[in-house]
């Protein structure tokens, strides 16, 4: 079992920045790829970013490329999502996920409870 707890969400103006954190406990953190997904009201959960187990490769959805950065610190059992140049359309609940296999679809085995990000115009 892996438990994931997100933090760092909040209200920010357009053009601002936030950094989300996802702290993991349970099984070996380094053994899991990590992903960030988001879900806006009335919409399906969508892929945002993912990082391989050793952090050597990262993947991003087109709408966030160049603005968001995913990273991980296996010593701290934490994965991060740095979000810059935020736009109102980035408003959503952001979820952290973990799985032995990296993916850009919401097929991960473990999920956090989500953290709200609201970007005002």
């Amino acid at each position: 079992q892996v438990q994931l707890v997100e933090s760092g969400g909040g209200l920010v103006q357009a053009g601002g920045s936030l950094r989300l954190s996802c702290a993991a406990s349970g099984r070996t953190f380094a053994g899991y790829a990590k992903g960030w997904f988001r879900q806006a009201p009335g919409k399906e959960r969508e892929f945002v970013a993912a990082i391989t187990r050793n952090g050597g490769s990262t993947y991003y959805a087109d709408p966030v490329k160049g603005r968001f950065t995913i990273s991980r610190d296996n010593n701290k059992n934490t994965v991060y999502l740095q979000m810059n140049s935020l736009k109102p359309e980035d408003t959503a609940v952001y979820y952290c996920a973990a799985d032995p296999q990296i993916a850009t679809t919401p097929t991960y085995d473990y999920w956090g409870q989500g953290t709200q990000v609201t970007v005002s115009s």
Side-chain angles (χ1 to χ4, degrees):
Q1 282 283 44
V2 175
Q3 293 79 41
L4 303 171
V5 179
E6 303 96 334
S7 62
L11 173 64
V12 64
Q13 288 188 333
S17 298
L18 283 174
R19 188 175 82 156
L20 305 183
S21 299
C22 174
S25 60
R27 290 189 174 181
T28 305
F29 179 83
Y32 290 82
K34 298 297 191 294
W36 285 98
F37 291 77
R38 66 187 182 186
Q39 189 166 17
K43 295 188 177 181
E44 293 186 351
R45 191 167 297 189
E46 65 176 4
F47 170 72
V48 175
I51 188 167
T52 51
R53 286 178 283 184
N54 64 0
S57 295
T58 56
Y59 304 86
Y60 297 93
D62 286 344
V64 307
K65 281 181 181 177
R67 300 188 297 122
F68 291 10
T69 303
I70 188 171
S71 61
R72 64 188 295 164
D73 185 337
N74 286 346
N75 291 324
K76 296 183 177 179
N77 291 350
T78 303
V79 62
Y80 305 97
L81 185 68
Q82 178 67 43
M83 306 186 295
N84 298 329
S85 302
L86 283 162
K87 304 175 181 180
E89 51 263 44
D90 294 319
T91 295
V93 177
Y94 283 71
Y95 297 90
C96 173
D99 195 274
Q101 182 67 41
I102 196 167
T104 59
T105 53
T107 54
Y108 287 62
D109 284 344
Y110 303 103
W111 293 86
Q113 82 290 348
T115 185
Q116 176 71 45
V117 171
T118 302
V119 184
S120 63
S121 57

